[in-house]
């Protein structure tokens, strides 16, 4: 159907690009509201992942706004055909730099995201076919919540039939993130 559409001339109802405006403006509103809500929740819960998801939603809102503005600019002069594509390139570059900055900061904090161990190698008990229900241990290596003074250690809790587990620090750090093991 798409090939047939491209092969034959057709007339659009309404002005050219009118449907694009009808999609991009509500998209901007929805993504902006969603992004602001996620950002607020991210700060209230101290969730870095929620804040990052908010940034993605806000970037989507900005891209929708750029499509709407680009559409209006093209109506004034066809020489503005490049506007929304340029906005997309700027947004992509911004997200790339943000991601690289975040990876750099995580590496500086000792999170070895480039190693398989970071992504959750299964524990020895799961390798032998046993399911741990809740066990306590001390963490070795750089990667989080234990290891140095102040109680340290972590709790590992089985997630059930899927064989995954969560490891949470026991050092009373309310802002600490939970690590997913072997999902």
């Amino acid at each position: 159907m798409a090939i047939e559409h491209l092969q034959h001339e057709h007339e659009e109802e309404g002005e050219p690009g009118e449907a694009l405006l009808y999609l991009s403006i509500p998209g901007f509103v929805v993504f902006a509201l969603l992004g602001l809500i996620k950002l607020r929740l991210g700060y209230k819960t101290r969730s870095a992942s929620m804040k990052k998801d908010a940034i993605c939603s806000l970037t989507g809102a900005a891209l929708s706004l750029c499509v709407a503005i680009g559409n209006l600019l093209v109506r004034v002069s066809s020489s503005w055909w490049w506007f929304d594509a340029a906005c997309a390139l700027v947004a992509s570059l911004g997200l790339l730099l943000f991601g690289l900055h975040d990876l750099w900061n995580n590496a500086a904090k000792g999170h070895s995201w480039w190693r398989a161990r970071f992504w959750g190698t299964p524990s020895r008990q799961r390798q032998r076919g046993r399911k741990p229900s809740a066990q306590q241990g001390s963490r070795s290596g750089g990667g989080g919540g234990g290891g140095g003074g102040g109680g340290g250690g972590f709790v590992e809790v089985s997630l059930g039939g899927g064989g995954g587990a969560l490891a949470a620090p026991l050092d009373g750090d309310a802002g600490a993130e939970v690590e997913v093991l072997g999902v």
Side-chain angles (χ1 to χ4, degrees), residues 29-106:
V29 172
V30 169
F31 274 119
L33 287 174
L34 193 60
L36 292 173
I37 291 169
K38 288 178 182 179
L39 197 60
R40 180 178 165 93
L41 284 173
Y43 278 105
K44 282 195 171 238
T45 61
R46 296 184 194 166
S47 172
S49 59
M50 183 65 78
K51 292 176 201 171
K52 291 170 189 167
D53 195 35
I55 289 172
C56 287
S57 294
L58 292 171
T59 302
L63 289 173
S64 292
L65 183 63
C66 284
V67 167
I69 291 170
N71 189 294
L72 295 173
L73 289 173
V74 166
R75 289 176 184 211
V76 173
S77 170
S78 63
S79 63
W80 286 97
W81 61 268
W82 53 269
F83 181 77
D84 58 339
C87 288
L89 286 174
V90 169
S92 298
L93 182 63
L95 288 174
L96 175 68
L97 293 175
F98 177 75
L100 291 174
H101 179 265
D102 195 44
L103 288 175
W104 181 267
N105 283 341
N106 280 322

Side-chain angles (χ1 to χ4, degrees), residues 85-159:
C87 288
L89 286 174
V90 169
S92 298
L93 182 63
L95 288 174
L96 175 68
L97 293 175
F98 177 75
L100 291 174
H101 179 265
D102 195 44
L103 288 175
W104 181 267
N105 283 341
N106 280 322
K109 291 177 185 176
H111 302 295
S112 305
W113 48 264
W114 57 89
R115 296 187 181 180
R117 183 176 55 141
F118 175 83
W119 296 100
T121 0
S123 70
R124 288 184 183 173
Q125 281 190 337
R126 277 192 298 284
Q127 288 174 352
R128 288 187 224 135
R130 288 189 236 150
K131 281 187 191 175
S133 54
Q135 61 181 342
Q136 184 174 341
S138 62
R139 186 161 294 200
S140 59
F154 67 96
V155 166
E156 183 175 313
V157 181
S158 173
L159 295 178

